[in-house]
Amino acid sequence: MKDVTELTDGWCLRHGEEVLEATVPGCVHTDLLAAEAIPDPYIGRNEAEVAWVGRRAWTYVRHLGHDSAHERTDLVFEGLDTAAYLTLAGRPLGTTRNMHRTYRFDVTGRTGELEVRFASAYDEAAAVRAVTGERPNVYPEPSQYIRKMACNFGWDWGPTLVTAGIWRPVRLEHWSTARLAEVRPLVTVADGAGRVELRLRVERTAQGRGRPLRVQAEVAGARTEAELSGDEAVLRLDVPAPRLWWPRGYGDQPLYDLDVTLVGETGRLDTWRRRIGFRTIELDRSPDEHGSGFTLVVNGVRVFARGVNWIPDDAFPSRVTPARYRTRLAQAAEANVDLVRVWGGGIYEDDAFYDACDELGLMVWQDFLFACSAYPEEQPLRGEVEAEARDNVVRLMPHPSLVLWNGNNENLWGFRDWGWEAPLAGDSWGEGYYLGLLPRIVAELDPTRPYTAGSPWSGSWNHHPNDPAHGTHHSWEVWNRQDYAEYRANVPRFVAEFGWQAPPALATLRRALPGEDLAPDSPGMLHHQKAEDGNGKLNRGLTRHFPMPEDDFDRWHYLTQLVQARAVAEGIEHWRSHWPVCAGTIVWQLNDCWPVSSWSAIDGDGRPKPLHHELCRVYADRLLTLRPDAGGLVLAAINQAATPWRTSVTLRRMQADGTTVGETVVEVSAEPRSVARIAVPAAVTPDERSAKEFLVADAWESPRPHDDEGRETAAALRALHFPVPDKEFAHPRPAYDVTVEPVPGQGDRVDVVVSARTLVRDLLLQPDRLGPAAVCDSGRRTLLPGERTRIRVSGCGSVTADAAKSALFCVDVA
């Protein structure tokens, strides 16, 4: 049986005469941090102080000695970052130039000092550029010339921290006769029956050539085996009635152990085990009267995808543990997300990421790793791209959560719109990858899943690559130049990127910028704002709705976070209300890799922003929204649940002082996975120029809930429509009372109870102001006069009412 020896200990990092203890998996930066040789690049403006690290060569060293009775010993690296030259006992072992591949070297009978010498990624990129020629890039860094995590070179949310190192596990594998070199399970379902078609390839030792082998496979009680005379085999296992894997919100996520065993004359030689799930996945791109669609169909059910974009969770990805993956993805699930897009400027994530998605019911849209650049298709890159794609398709295809392969991020769009086309005349730029090589690899290795050439992509060059009427669309004009109300201007078939920026939580800022007098334009704040004119866009978005707070950072911080939540909600509510024409939204972005002002819902320290709570609301199965329409105001009842929704909705036309001037009740009936649209009666529709009236739509559980003192609480589902921007509306000075109640038996939890005496719009508790570890159970909410709400806070210990009040913010433009 194959033996494995993990090589995690005994490594040193060498640069010149200096030798440091090294941690593997890891990278140069993390080793230098552990040795206190560099400052933390996430703090203050230290990023600039460590830029030299990425421009030097580094060497990892370890003694390699092994004693094995097996015929063969392989040295296996799951990830080397990136351009490396390997020697063993002074003799060449091999070279690498791709962070995203696994490498295997035959070291049978060899011992001595193992050296892994990493060249500077900048030097490697320069050498490739000298061969291939210049190609355009959105960013002034050479990421398109090296198969490395592109955002290592900086992005509009990320630091420039160019890493090197043994970033994934390394081991020795000792084996005899033969080993399982590749196992590809093609999982299908037809007429309620499951099938696993296993395509196998083995590697033999010299002594193992010609020897008889057997392969045994088992899943869900089904067993099969086959004789293997050559090096490849195909086995089929039929499972009569497997339980189907569903996205969260549509059903359960049953997983089955698939076991494969290679057997020789002397017994078991090698084993392979993965968890699989039975489900079907289709992508409906059919033309219709609106253009051409982009709808995921899982187990025959058409799905509106409630998605988020995922970036690497740390600029040093070796620091992301399985527990951290689980925490971050659980945060996505808590926000009612059912799809995570792994963006093409990062990495193919660790299996722990996909395992968590399998278990949580999070569909995975997986980009191939190309982003915002023109990529040469000549050698040495072309061979690396093919090997990388084959490696990762085979590695990831057992995961039922994986539903889509995508060729690139924004490169087809960039070619057409970003001034690339003319200078690239006659040169390769990546089209051959996205429309040729990659779809062929997916069709060959993983034909059970759909492939799309890019995001955005309209399906062919017959339409503009970012045409909202065809395929996928990225909506960035609104954030860059317009008010968020402009999301209502069109109904794309699938919105794969859109978003709005906000700063991180205050506790995150205080940790990352110690001692700084925080202001929107203070030195550290500007350094941790990587977007072009990022603060300008933040401030313009704010001032379209509110007066700019002068010398009041806390107020600016609240308002920018509020505008982010409102903006994203505006887009999602509009597009969801037009299902099935629009079949999904993927918010940019779920997470951050360091503390930064960005489009994320969860900041670089893992703290949820108000946007996270807003996603929970607008991605819920059932949602009420009031939509301005050409024919007047529309109430949309969005029902993504599997059961009908029958409810009464109270519509109240109200004045700013809380007086009701018109009221009616409408009966709403929305069938499963559908949207009911109802015209709002004229009698309760506020004048669109009114600065004193607004509309409230409430759906309660029956009867209307009251608190212990008989006071009415806010509706379970509430939609609001204010005809004019906040700064033009006649808001009263907000008045409310705050009390704090301990939660019996839970010493670290309290309820902050807010009782409104006036209209209190967009009340928001920022829990980290009560303690760095504090979290709360809700985001923004609007209270009418006489209403009371309860916000549960945990992780803060005892809290006074005054402290709670200091952590509460609401709209106040009086």
Side-chain angles (χ1 to χ4, degrees):
M1 181 67 180
K2 180 174 72 177
D3 294 330
V4 175
T5 304
E6 300 293 341
L7 300 180
T8 56
D9 301 323
W11 290 93
C12 293
L13 173 64
R14 191 167 66 209
H15 176 61
E17 299 301 316
E18 299 179 55
V19 177
L20 302 175
E21 183 179 346
T23 297
V24 172
C27 70
V28 171
H29 288 81
T30 54
D31 289 331
L32 294 174
L33 279 167
E36 300 183 348
I38 59 171
D40 186 341
Y42 290 7
I43 302 301
R45 290 178 283 174
N46 290 341
E47 174 196 356
E49 299 299 315
V50 302
W52 60 271
V53 175
R55 295 188 175 274
R56 295 194 183 181
W58 300 89
T59 301
Y60 282 81
V61 181
R62 186 193 193 278
H63 180 76
L64 195 66
H66 52 85
D67 182 16
S68 174
H70 281 285
E71 298 167 15
R72 172 84 171 262
T73 298
D74 289 343
L75 175 62
V76 182
F77 290 92
E78 291 188 17
L80 290 168
D81 175 18
T82 292
Y85 176 62
L86 290 81
T87 62
L88 180 56
R91 293 167 52 201
L93 193 59
T95 60
T96 73
R97 60 194 328 150
N98 194 323
M99 179 179 182
H100 310 300
R101 290 181 57 188
T102 296
Y103 293 93
R104 179 180 292 269
F105 304 100
D106 183 353
V107 294
T108 306
R110 298 177 63 179
T111 61
E113 185 173 78
L114 172 64
E115 288 192 346
V116 185
R117 304 172 191 168
F118 290 99
S120 161
Y122 286 102
D123 291 345
E124 168 69 8
V128 172
R129 178 165 45 194
V131 172
T132 64
E134 294 285 342
R135 299 294 191 281
N137 183 345
V138 170
Y139 299 100
E141 295 278 336
S143 61
Q144 70 269 48
Y145 304 105
I146 182 170
R147 295 310 299 159
K148 175 177 173 56
M149 184 168 92
C151 61
N152 257 175
F153 291 95
W155 221 260
D156 56 5
W157 38 258
T160 301
L161 295 168
V162 179
T163 55
I166 305 171
W167 76 288
R168 279 186 166 156
V170 55
R171 62 185 178 272
L172 289 172
E173 292 187 2
H174 314 281
W175 54 282
S176 297
T177 305
R179 70 177 186 89
L180 291 166
E182 181 178 287
V183 180
R184 290 192 293 117
L186 303 176
V187 183
T188 55
V189 180
D191 299 322
R195 168 168 284 190
V196 180
E197 181 177 288
L198 280 168
R199 295 187 171 268
L200 310 169
R201 180 171 58 82
V202 301
E203 181 183 11
R204 297 175 183 259
T205 63
Q207 297 92 324
R209 291 186 188 130
R211 291 186 180 179
L213 300 172
R214 281 183 298 124
V215 180
Q216 302 169 342
E218 179 177 355
V219 65
R223 297 178 178 84
T224 190
E225 66 177 81
E227 298 293 329
L228 191 64
S229 56
D231 294 338
E232 296 183 354
V234 179
L235 285 75
R236 295 178 178 86
L237 297 104
D238 292 312
V239 179
R243 296 173 60 217
L244 297 182
W245 185 96
W246 289 93
R248 61 179 294 103
Y250 289 81
D252 296 331
Q253 293 79 43
L255 299 170
Y256 295 86
D257 289 330
L258 172 60
D259 291 291
V260 179
T261 304
L262 181 66
V263 182
E265 295 168 311
T266 60
R268 293 197 309 166
L269 301 175
D270 199 0
T271 60
W272 180 97
R273 168 178 275 199
R274 298 291 187 277
R275 292 184 306 174
I276 64 167
F278 291 91
R279 55 102 184 97
T280 64
I281 179 68
E282 303 167 76
L283 181 60
D284 185 354
R285 292 181 264 205
S286 303
D288 57 26
E289 67 272 25
H290 305 286
S292 47
F294 194 92
T295 305
L296 290 167
V297 185
V298 183
N299 298 328
V301 176
R302 301 173 71 81
V303 171
F304 182 98
R306 295 169 278 190
V308 288
N309 281 275
W310 171 275
I311 66 170
D313 205 53
D314 200 306
F316 309 130
S318 60
R319 298 200 297 200
V320 184
T321 63
R324 183 162 157 186
Y325 275 128
R326 181 77 189 203
T327 296
R328 200 69 68 243
L329 291 166
Q331 288 174 312
E334 290 160 6
N336 290 316
V337 166
D338 60 21
L339 181 144
V340 179
R341 175 191 171 208
V342 181
W343 167 76
I347 59 175
Y348 304 99
E349 298 289 343
D350 187 82
D351 277 300
F353 172 93
Y354 304 92
D355 287 341
C357 290
D358 292 342
E359 296 163 11
L360 292 167
L362 295 171
M363 296 180 287
V364 176
W365 162 326
Q366 177 68 56
D367 281 13
F368 287 101
L369 301 186
F370 304 90
C372 301
S373 303
Y375 286 82
E377 297 175 39
E378 293 81 15
Q379 298 293 6
L381 289 178
R382 186 177 182 86
E384 289 295 337
V385 166
E386 178 165 1
E388 165 194 319
R390 289 181 175 278
D391 247 21
N392 287 284
V393 169
V394 171
R395 177 172 72 90
L396 300 181
M397 61 186 291
H399 293 281
S401 57
L402 179 59
V403 298
L404 181 69
W405 294 103
N406 174 51
N408 75 88
N409 176 76
E410 298 190 343
N411 295 341
L412 296 160
W413 179 22
F415 177 76
R416 179 55 47 88
D417 271 4
W418 299 349
W420 297 357
E421 197 162 356
L424 282 171
D427 287 336
S428 67
W429 55 272
E431 182 183 28
Y433 295 148
Y434 320 135
L435 298 178
L437 176 66
L438 295 175
R440 285 199 300 272
I441 289 173
V442 171
E444 173 195 344
L445 299 178
D446 189 18
T448 68
R449 287 182 178 87
Y451 169 88
T452 184
S455 184
W457 179 235
S458 59
S460 77
W461 287 114
N462 294 330
H463 307 287
H464 187 280
N466 200 29
D467 187 336
H470 299 275
T472 52
H473 177 68
H474 288 194
S475 179
W476 284 115
E477 279 298 297
V478 174
W479 156 252
N480 284 321
R481 296 172 183 86
Q482 300 170 343
D483 181 54
Y484 59 72
E486 294 303 313
Y487 284 130
R488 302 196 296 257
N490 56 36
V491 181
R493 307 312 303 269
F494 194 108
V495 187
E497 278 190 23
F498 78 107
W500 204 273
Q501 265 204 359
L506 186 65
T508 300
L509 288 173
R510 285 177 173 158
R511 186 194 67 81
L513 305 174
E516 180 159 316
D517 186 11
L518 294 175
D521 58 353
S522 59
M525 286 292 295
L526 291 178
H527 185 79
H528 289 249
Q529 165 60 275
K530 295 295 186 178
E532 182 181 0
D533 191 29
N535 271 18
K537 294 170 186 176
L538 271 176
N539 291 337
R540 287 191 291 275
L542 187 160
T543 55
R544 291 185 183 109
H545 296 266
F546 304 98
M548 174 62 75
E550 298 298 334
D551 300 320
D552 188 344
F553 179 79
D554 287 344
R555 193 84 194 150
W556 178 87
H557 183 265
Y558 158 73
L559 290 174
T560 51
Q561 290 204 334
L562 172 62
V563 171
Q564 180 190 40
R566 281 195 189 179
V568 171
E570 181 66 27
I572 293 174
E573 290 185 33
H574 170 65
W575 293 319
R576 282 192 74 185
S577 74
H578 285 278
W579 161 261
V581 177
C582 180
T585 57
I586 310 181
V587 177
W588 187 271
Q589 63 212 66
L590 174 68
N591 59 325
D592 271 324
C593 65
W594 77 314
V596 66
S597 292
S598 83
W599 299 263
S600 70
I602 300 165
D603 75 17
D605 280 9
R607 292 187 174 92
K609 296 181 187 177
L611 174 58
H612 181 263
H613 294 291
E614 192 70 0
L615 289 178
C616 185
R617 182 183 73 83
V618 296
Y619 272 164
D621 279 351
R622 289 173 175 169
L623 175 68
L624 283 183
T625 181
L626 291 163
R627 311 308 313 155
D629 196 69
L633 207 55
V634 170
L635 173 69
I638 300 163
N639 181 27
Q640 206 161 341
T643 55
W645 186 18
R646 315 277 188 252
T647 189
S648 299
V649 178
T650 301
L651 296 169
R652 285 181 283 176
R653 180 179 178 181
M654 302 188 72
Q655 293 185 331
D657 65 3
T659 303
T660 298
V661 294
E663 181 171 339
T664 190
V665 177
V666 296
E667 299 302 320
V668 172
S669 179
E671 296 306 311
R673 323 290 190 199
S674 73
V675 178
R677 296 172 64 89
I678 302 165
V680 173
V684 293
T685 300
D687 187 306
E688 285 303 303
R689 294 161 298 179
S690 174
K692 295 183 178 180
E693 290 186 347
F694 64 103
L695 179 62
V696 183
D698 284 331
W700 284 272
E701 300 296 334
S702 186
R704 292 185 182 183
H706 294 72
D707 64 20
D708 294 339
E709 299 176 16
R711 295 172 57 126
E712 189 169 288
T713 60
L717 290 176
R718 168 168 285 175
L720 297 161
H721 172 67
F722 287 79
V724 298
D726 301 69
K727 62 185 179 183
E728 298 175 18
F729 190 76
H731 289 97
R733 176 71 66 184
Y736 53 87
D737 300 313
V738 179
T739 59
V740 176
E741 300 176 3
V743 178
Q746 300 184 43
D748 69 333
R749 298 189 178 190
V750 297
D751 283 346
V752 176
V753 182
V754 181
S755 302
R757 289 185 272 119
T758 64
L759 172 67
V760 179
R761 190 172 176 191
D762 287 319
L763 179 74
L764 179 67
L765 176 70
Q766 294 188 346
D768 59 294
R769 292 175 180 266
L770 301 175
V775 294
C776 67
D777 66 351
S778 62
R780 68 180 182 118
R781 54 183 67 179
T782 292
L783 301 179
L784 306 178
E787 288 185 338
R788 175 177 290 184
T789 191
R790 186 176 294 269
I791 305 168
R792 181 151 295 179
V793 185
S794 60
C796 61
S798 62
V799 173
T800 66
D802 285 343
K805 196 159 189 174
S806 70
L808 285 163
F809 293 82
C810 67
V811 171
D812 184 357
V813 296

